[in-house]
Amino acid sequence: TKDMLTRRYAKDPETAVFRDLVIKWDIPQFRDHCPNTFVVFGVKNKTQNRTEFVVAQEGARLAFIIEVVSARYRKEDRQIKVQQYAQARVQEYVIIDRRTQRGQVIEEVLGYRLVEGQYLPLTPDDDGRILCETVGLWIGLQDGRVEMEDAQTGKRLLTSSELEER
C-alpha cells in the first residue's frame, strides 16, 4: 500500500507517506502507535529522514491510516485503535483484515471517517470497496491483495511489481 500511495503523492512536496514509523502524539498520556501506512498533509520537510513522527514538532496531523490486521493484534487494530485514532483526530482509518474462520478465508476492508469528533463506519460498495475521501481512492481487496483506484478517473494504482512487469 505504501508504494502505491508514495507514487500518488510523489510530486506533492507537502504530502508524505510513511510505513511502520512510530507516532508520538500531541495528546498527554496517549501511547505511541506504529501503523502499517499513514498519509500526512502539510508536512514541512517531506524528505527528512525520520526515526519517529512527532506530531507537535511536525505541525501536521495524520490524515489517513491503513492498518493490516495480524492475528496477534486483531482486537487492538479493530477496536482499540478505532477509538484512539478518532481521539487523535485522524480523518480516515482503514483496516485490512484477512483471516481464516472455520476453514474459510474471510477478507474484509473496514473504514471509518471522522465526523464531528466521532468515527462513522464507511459503507462498502457492491464489490466490497470503500471510498476514502481523504485520499480520493476506492480501496478494496482482490485475491488477497489491496487494490486502490482513483475515485475521479477510475484508474487503478499499480503496485511496484506490476510497474516492473510493464
Side-chain angles (χ1 to χ4, degrees), residues 45-102:
N45 190 349
K46 178 178 177 171
T47 56
Q48 174 189 330
N49 193 12
R50 293 168 172 83
T51 54
E52 56 190 23
F53 189 89
V54 183
V55 174
Q57 289 174 7
E58 295 283 352
R61 297 206 80 71
L62 284 74
F64 179 78
I65 293 178
I66 292 184
E67 214 51 273
V68 178
V69 175
S70 63
R72 189 171 161 201
Y73 296 109
R74 176 161 283 112
K75 182 176 192 230
E76 187 173 347
D77 289 343
R78 291 186 60 131
Q79 295 171 21
I80 297 166
K81 287 182 182 174
V82 172
Q83 296 166 347
Q84 292 174 340
Y85 290 157
Q87 195 182 337
R89 301 191 313 276
V90 175
Q91 288 305 302
E92 286 180 325
Y93 175 38
V94 173
I95 302 165
I96 308 291
D97 193 0
R98 188 167 189 228
R99 62 193 185 282
T100 306
Q101 206 170 309
R102 295 189 192 97

Side-chain angles (χ1 to χ4, degrees), residues 22-38:
V22 172
I23 302 162
K24 300 258 183 216
W25 298 100
D26 56 351
I27 303 167
Q29 287 87 46
F30 210 69
R31 70 179 203 70
D32 300 343
H33 289 99
C34 188
N36 294 106
T37 303
F38 63 94

Side-chain angles (χ1 to χ4, degrees), residues 1-159:
T1 55
K2 182 190 185 270
D3 59 338
M4 292 185 277
L5 289 166
T6 299
R7 274 194 303 282
R8 182 172 179 78
Y9 293 110
K11 290 181 176 76
D12 183 339
E14 292 190 354
T15 300
V17 180
F18 299 103
R19 179 188 4 233
D20 297 329
L21 187 66
V22 172
I23 302 162
K24 300 258 183 216
W25 298 100
D26 56 351
I27 303 167
Q29 287 87 46
F30 210 69
R31 70 179 203 70
D32 300 343
H33 289 99
C34 188
N36 294 106
T37 303
F38 63 94
V39 176
V40 184
F41 299 118
V43 168
K44 304 280 184 285
N45 190 349
K46 178 178 177 171
T47 56
Q48 174 189 330
N49 193 12
R50 293 168 172 83
T51 54
E52 56 190 23
F53 189 89
V54 183
V55 174
Q57 289 174 7
E58 295 283 352
R61 297 206 80 71
L62 284 74
F64 179 78
I65 293 178
I66 292 184
E67 214 51 273
V68 178
V69 175
S70 63
R72 189 171 161 201
Y73 296 109
R74 176 161 283 112
K75 182 176 192 230
E76 187 173 347
D77 289 343
R78 291 186 60 131
Q79 295 171 21
I80 297 166
K81 287 182 182 174
V82 172
Q83 296 166 347
Q84 292 174 340
Y85 290 157
Q87 195 182 337
R89 301 191 313 276
V90 175
Q91 288 305 302
E92 286 180 325
Y93 175 38
V94 173
I95 302 165
I96 308 291
D97 193 0
R98 188 167 189 228
R99 62 193 185 282
T100 306
Q101 206 170 309
R102 295 189 192 97
Q104 239 178 334
V105 175
I106 297 167
E107 294 183 334
E108 226 176 350
V109 179
L110 304 165
Y112 298 91
R113 182 171 302 127
L114 197 63
V115 179
E116 294 174 15
Q118 300 286 318
Y119 267 156
L120 297 181
L122 299 176
T123 307
D125 69 0
D126 293 340
D127 297 322
R129 305 175 312 165
I130 54 172
L131 177 61
C132 299
E133 292 175 356
T134 314
V135 289
L137 294 171
W138 282 98
I139 298 179
L141 279 167
Q142 191 68 47
D143 303 319
R145 286 194 333 263
V146 175
E147 284 207 339
M148 298 182 184
E149 186 180 290
D150 188 299
Q152 296 276 296
T153 65
K155 206 172 159 195
R156 198 167 64 78
L157 276 59
L158 300 177
T159 64

